[in-house]
Amino acid sequence: MEQLTVAMAKGRTATKAMKLFEQAGIYFSSLQDDSRKLVLTDDSGQVKLIFVKAVDVPTYVEKGAADIGIIGKDVLLEDPKDVYEMVDLRISACKLVVAGFPGPYPNTQLTVASKYPHVAKTFFTNKGIRTDVITLNGSVELAPLIGMADVIVDIVETGKTLKENGLVVLEEIADSSARLIVNKASFAIKTAVIQQLIGSVKEGMGVST
Ligand code: PRP
């Protein structure tokens, strides 16, 4: 069997994705919780896992450095890449939302803080609202609190961060969850082995193939 390279980010999604792989019969026995290793091979030697930064996963897959990637739909919406999105893994579910203080927000000109500037710009432009989008890399909820932005566009999972900072969801933009993406050339060359892996993952999830 040809070897497949899978890219994903360390963290909660990776932990859940590894469980899906186990259910699919792909085991990474050498994985240790506190390991700093960036490359890992499964027990059969056929699947190589590379750990990269989440936002870089689609780039590794598009460029063919990885055949397969596991990444949130939110990342794909922000930075669309020329890859096949093949399975909704139904893990790490969250929503991309507009959030801010309760009540209406200005509907002509808005300052928006976000880790998702493309999503934010597109969403408000489609509503005919002009925006000044401030790109931040984290702690986005702080922006309205200190008067730096009218609203934020961010992901909400449990809602805890918004609640603890006195903010609410004002509008929902999109649902997100982890997706399995595939490099287009890899799919053409390694069709059988990729389809086999996807079939096993879906079977493990209890999804009909
Ligand atoms: C994400 C997101 C929100 C929070 C939402 O941030 O940007 O801040 O999680 O989760 P919740 O609805 O369960 O509270 P992350 O944890 O990635 O940290 P960051 O602010 O440093 O980006």
mmCIF file of all heavy atoms in Angstrom, residues 12 94 115-116 137-141 152-163, ligand 1:
data_model
loop_
_atom_site.group_PDB
_atom_site.id
_atom_site.type_symbol
_atom_site.label_atom_id
_atom_site.label_comp_id
_atom_site.label_asym_id
_atom_site.label_seq_id
_atom_site.Cartn_x
_atom_site.Cartn_y
_atom_site.Cartn_z
ATOM 1 N N ARG A 12 -7.277 19.934 20.541
ATOM 2 C CA ARG A 12 -8.523 19.193 20.758
ATOM 3 C C ARG A 12 -9.001 18.447 19.519
ATOM 4 O O ARG A 12 -9.433 17.305 19.592
ATOM 5 C CB ARG A 12 -9.624 20.155 21.231
ATOM 6 C CG ARG A 12 -9.553 20.433 22.717
ATOM 7 C CD ARG A 12 -10.622 21.401 23.141
ATOM 8 N NE ARG A 12 -10.359 22.741 22.623
ATOM 9 C CZ ARG A 12 -11.171 23.778 22.786
ATOM 10 N NH1 ARG A 12 -12.302 23.626 23.423
ATOM 11 N NH2 ARG A 12 -10.867 24.971 22.314
ATOM 12 N N CYS A 94 -18.712 24.141 15.859
ATOM 13 C CA CYS A 94 -18.842 25.500 16.388
ATOM 14 C C CYS A 94 -19.550 26.346 15.337
ATOM 15 O O CYS A 94 -19.879 25.850 14.258
ATOM 16 C CB CYS A 94 -17.467 26.080 16.738
ATOM 17 S SG CYS A 94 -16.315 26.126 15.359
ATOM 18 N N LYS A 115 -10.530 37.287 13.713
ATOM 19 C CA LYS A 115 -9.463 36.417 13.211
ATOM 20 C C LYS A 115 -9.839 35.947 11.810
ATOM 21 O O LYS A 115 -9.091 35.218 11.181
ATOM 22 C CB LYS A 115 -9.350 35.168 14.112
ATOM 23 C CG LYS A 115 -8.719 35.412 15.458
ATOM 24 C CD LYS A 115 -8.442 34.091 16.182
ATOM 25 C CE LYS A 115 -9.677 33.594 16.907
ATOM 26 N NZ LYS A 115 -9.387 32.475 17.840
ATOM 27 N N TYR A 116 -11.041 36.343 11.362
ATOM 28 C CA TYR A 116 -11.577 35.910 10.068
ATOM 29 C C TYR A 116 -11.926 37.139 9.217
ATOM 30 O O TYR A 116 -13.104 37.388 8.916
ATOM 31 C CB TYR A 116 -12.829 35.043 10.283
ATOM 32 C CG TYR A 116 -12.591 33.837 11.143
ATOM 33 C CD1 TYR A 116 -12.702 33.907 12.537
ATOM 34 C CD2 TYR A 116 -12.227 32.621 10.575
ATOM 35 C CE1 TYR A 116 -12.463 32.807 13.340
ATOM 36 C CE2 TYR A 116 -11.986 31.510 11.362
ATOM 37 C CZ TYR A 116 -12.105 31.606 12.743
ATOM 38 O OH TYR A 116 -11.869 30.507 13.526
ATOM 39 N N ASN A 137 -5.306 38.201 16.206
ATOM 40 C CA ASN A 137 -4.935 36.786 16.214
ATOM 41 C C ASN A 137 -5.462 36.028 17.429
ATOM 42 O O ASN A 137 -5.216 34.839 17.572
ATOM 43 C CB ASN A 137 -3.414 36.645 16.128
ATOM 44 C CG ASN A 137 -2.911 37.135 14.786
ATOM 45 O OD1 ASN A 137 -3.321 36.630 13.746
ATOM 46 N ND2 ASN A 137 -2.057 38.134 14.786
ATOM 47 N N GLY A 138 -6.170 36.714 18.310
ATOM 48 C CA GLY A 138 -6.716 36.050 19.486
ATOM 49 C C GLY A 138 -7.338 37.062 20.418
ATOM 50 O O GLY A 138 -7.264 38.274 20.172
ATOM 51 N N SER A 139 -7.985 36.563 21.497
ATOM 52 C CA SER A 139 -8.653 37.427 22.478
ATOM 53 C C SER A 139 -9.509 38.491 21.779
ATOM 54 O O SER A 139 -9.554 39.648 22.208
ATOM 55 C CB SER A 139 -7.628 38.104 23.392
ATOM 56 O OG SER A 139 -6.854 37.142 24.055
ATOM 57 N N VAL A 140 -10.198 38.080 20.733
ATOM 58 C CA VAL A 140 -10.976 39.012 19.906
ATOM 59 C C VAL A 140 -12.093 39.676 20.712
ATOM 60 O O VAL A 140 -12.459 40.827 20.468
ATOM 61 C CB VAL A 140 -11.555 38.249 18.685
ATOM 62 C CG1 VAL A 140 -12.336 39.169 17.783
ATOM 63 C CG2 VAL A 140 -10.421 37.611 17.894
ATOM 64 N N GLU A 141 -12.602 38.932 21.712
ATOM 65 C CA GLU A 141 -13.719 39.448 22.518
ATOM 66 C C GLU A 141 -13.361 40.749 23.240
ATOM 67 O O GLU A 141 -14.239 41.498 23.665
ATOM 68 C CB GLU A 141 -14.162 38.387 23.546
ATOM 69 C CG GLU A 141 -14.827 37.158 22.948
ATOM 70 C CD GLU A 141 -13.833 36.130 22.420
ATOM 71 O OE1 GLU A 141 -12.603 36.382 22.495
ATOM 72 O OE2 GLU A 141 -14.283 35.098 21.912
ATOM 73 N N ILE A 152 -17.584 41.820 16.777
ATOM 74 C CA ILE A 152 -16.531 40.883 16.372
ATOM 75 C C ILE A 152 -17.146 39.816 15.470
ATOM 76 O O ILE A 152 -18.356 39.583 15.516
ATOM 77 C CB ILE A 152 -15.841 40.204 17.583
ATOM 78 C CG1 ILE A 152 -16.845 39.367 18.406
ATOM 79 C CG2 ILE A 152 -15.162 41.245 18.461
ATOM 80 C CD1 ILE A 152 -16.195 38.487 19.474
ATOM 81 N N VAL A 153 -16.321 39.203 14.656
ATOM 82 C CA VAL A 153 -16.718 37.982 13.947
ATOM 83 C C VAL A 153 -15.760 36.918 14.442
ATOM 84 O O VAL A 153 -14.540 37.053 14.308
ATOM 85 C CB VAL A 153 -16.630 38.150 12.409
ATOM 86 C CG1 VAL A 153 -16.699 36.786 11.711
ATOM 87 C CG2 VAL A 153 -17.757 39.048 11.914
ATOM 88 N N ASP A 154 -16.337 35.869 15.062
ATOM 89 C CA ASP A 154 -15.475 34.859 15.675
ATOM 90 C C ASP A 154 -16.223 33.541 15.751
ATOM 91 O O ASP A 154 -17.424 33.487 15.466
ATOM 92 C CB ASP A 154 -15.061 35.318 17.086
ATOM 93 C CG ASP A 154 -13.804 34.596 17.591
ATOM 94 O OD1 ASP A 154 -13.178 33.853 16.801
ATOM 95 O OD2 ASP A 154 -13.455 34.771 18.769
ATOM 96 N N ILE A 155 -15.523 32.492 16.165
ATOM 97 C CA ILE A 155 -16.210 31.220 16.382
ATOM 98 C C ILE A 155 -16.694 31.142 17.826
ATOM 99 O O ILE A 155 -16.056 31.655 18.746
ATOM 100 C CB ILE A 155 -15.326 29.996 16.052
ATOM 101 C CG1 ILE A 155 -13.970 30.074 16.752
ATOM 102 C CG2 ILE A 155 -15.182 29.799 14.563
ATOM 103 C CD1 ILE A 155 -13.232 28.754 16.793
ATOM 104 N N VAL A 156 -17.839 30.502 17.982
ATOM 105 C CA VAL A 156 -18.399 30.257 19.300
ATOM 106 C C VAL A 156 -18.605 28.766 19.423
ATOM 107 O O VAL A 156 -19.204 28.140 18.548
ATOM 108 C CB VAL A 156 -19.762 30.970 19.462
ATOM 109 C CG1 VAL A 156 -20.381 30.621 20.803
ATOM 110 C CG2 VAL A 156 -19.585 32.456 19.356
ATOM 111 N N GLU A 157 -18.072 28.228 20.533
ATOM 112 C CA GLU A 157 -18.254 26.788 20.731
ATOM 113 C C GLU A 157 -19.240 26.572 21.882
ATOM 114 O O GLU A 157 -20.382 26.214 21.667
ATOM 115 C CB GLU A 157 -16.899 26.125 20.990
ATOM 116 C CG GLU A 157 -16.949 24.619 20.863
ATOM 117 C CD GLU A 157 -15.570 23.966 20.939
ATOM 118 O OE1 GLU A 157 -14.548 24.679 20.875
ATOM 119 O OE2 GLU A 157 -15.520 22.728 21.077
ATOM 120 N N THR A 158 -18.816 26.885 23.090
ATOM 121 C CA THR A 158 -19.720 26.726 24.238
ATOM 122 C C THR A 158 -20.459 28.031 24.543
ATOM 123 O O THR A 158 -21.463 28.023 25.240
ATOM 124 C CB THR A 158 -18.931 26.329 25.498
ATOM 125 O OG1 THR A 158 -18.007 27.404 25.801
ATOM 126 C CG2 THR A 158 -18.151 25.050 25.286
ATOM 127 N N GLY A 159 -19.944 29.144 24.105
ATOM 128 C CA GLY A 159 -20.525 30.454 24.402
ATOM 129 C C GLY A 159 -19.977 31.067 25.677
ATOM 130 O O GLY A 159 -20.324 32.184 26.064
ATOM 131 N N LYS A 160 -19.085 30.311 26.358
ATOM 132 C CA LYS A 160 -18.565 30.743 27.663
ATOM 133 C C LYS A 160 -17.776 32.062 27.548
ATOM 134 O O LYS A 160 -17.944 32.959 28.389
ATOM 135 C CB LYS A 160 -17.666 29.634 28.209
ATOM 136 C CG LYS A 160 -17.399 29.695 29.687
ATOM 137 C CD LYS A 160 -16.816 28.360 30.173
ATOM 138 C CE LYS A 160 -16.609 28.365 31.675
ATOM 139 N NZ LYS A 160 -15.403 28.991 32.123
ATOM 140 N N THR A 161 -16.930 32.151 26.531
ATOM 141 C CA THR A 161 -16.080 33.357 26.403
ATOM 142 C C THR A 161 -16.937 34.593 26.195
ATOM 143 O O THR A 161 -16.704 35.643 26.815
ATOM 144 C CB THR A 161 -15.073 33.201 25.248
ATOM 145 O OG1 THR A 161 -14.441 31.933 25.349
ATOM 146 C CG2 THR A 161 -14.016 34.289 25.282
ATOM 147 N N LEU A 162 -17.941 34.492 25.329
ATOM 148 C CA LEU A 162 -18.834 35.642 25.106
ATOM 149 C C LEU A 162 -19.524 36.016 26.410
ATOM 150 O O LEU A 162 -19.528 37.180 26.816
ATOM 151 C CB LEU A 162 -19.898 35.297 24.046
ATOM 152 C CG LEU A 162 -19.453 35.196 22.591
ATOM 153 C CD1 LEU A 162 -20.654 34.922 21.693
ATOM 154 C CD2 LEU A 162 -18.746 36.482 22.136
ATOM 155 N N LYS A 163 -20.127 35.006 27.057
ATOM 156 C CA LYS A 163 -20.922 35.257 28.268
ATOM 157 C C LYS A 163 -20.080 35.937 29.357
ATOM 158 O O LYS A 163 -20.522 36.928 29.959
ATOM 159 C CB LYS A 163 -21.480 33.921 28.778
ATOM 160 C CG LYS A 163 -22.592 34.077 29.766
ATOM 161 C CD LYS A 163 -23.293 32.771 30.034
ATOM 162 C CE LYS A 163 -24.352 33.023 31.098
ATOM 163 N NZ LYS A 163 -24.562 31.883 31.966
HETATM 164 C C1 PRP B 1 -11.722 30.570 20.424
HETATM 165 C C2 PRP B 1 -12.593 31.674 19.848
HETATM 166 C C3 PRP B 1 -13.290 32.208 21.052
HETATM 167 C C4 PRP B 1 -13.442 30.965 21.929
HETATM 168 C C5 PRP B 1 -14.837 30.440 21.797
HETATM 169 O O1 PRP B 1 -10.581 31.144 20.932
HETATM 170 O O2 PRP B 1 -11.836 32.632 19.158
HETATM 171 O O3 PRP B 1 -12.519 33.188 21.717
HETATM 172 O O4 PRP B 1 -12.528 29.985 21.437
HETATM 173 O O5 PRP B 1 -15.035 29.298 22.604
HETATM 174 P P1 PRP B 1 -16.233 29.211 23.635
HETATM 175 O O6 PRP B 1 -17.500 29.604 22.908
HETATM 176 O O7 PRP B 1 -16.255 27.756 24.033
HETATM 177 O O8 PRP B 1 -15.936 30.118 24.788
HETATM 178 P P2 PRP B 1 -9.317 30.303 21.348
HETATM 179 O O9 PRP B 1 -9.646 29.391 22.486
HETATM 180 O O10 PRP B 1 -8.803 29.614 20.143
HETATM 181 O O11 PRP B 1 -8.312 31.388 21.868
HETATM 182 P P3 PRP B 1 -7.814 32.775 21.237
HETATM 183 O O12 PRP B 1 -8.755 33.830 21.725
HETATM 184 O O13 PRP B 1 -6.450 32.948 21.757
HETATM 185 O O14 PRP B 1 -7.848 32.645 19.745
#
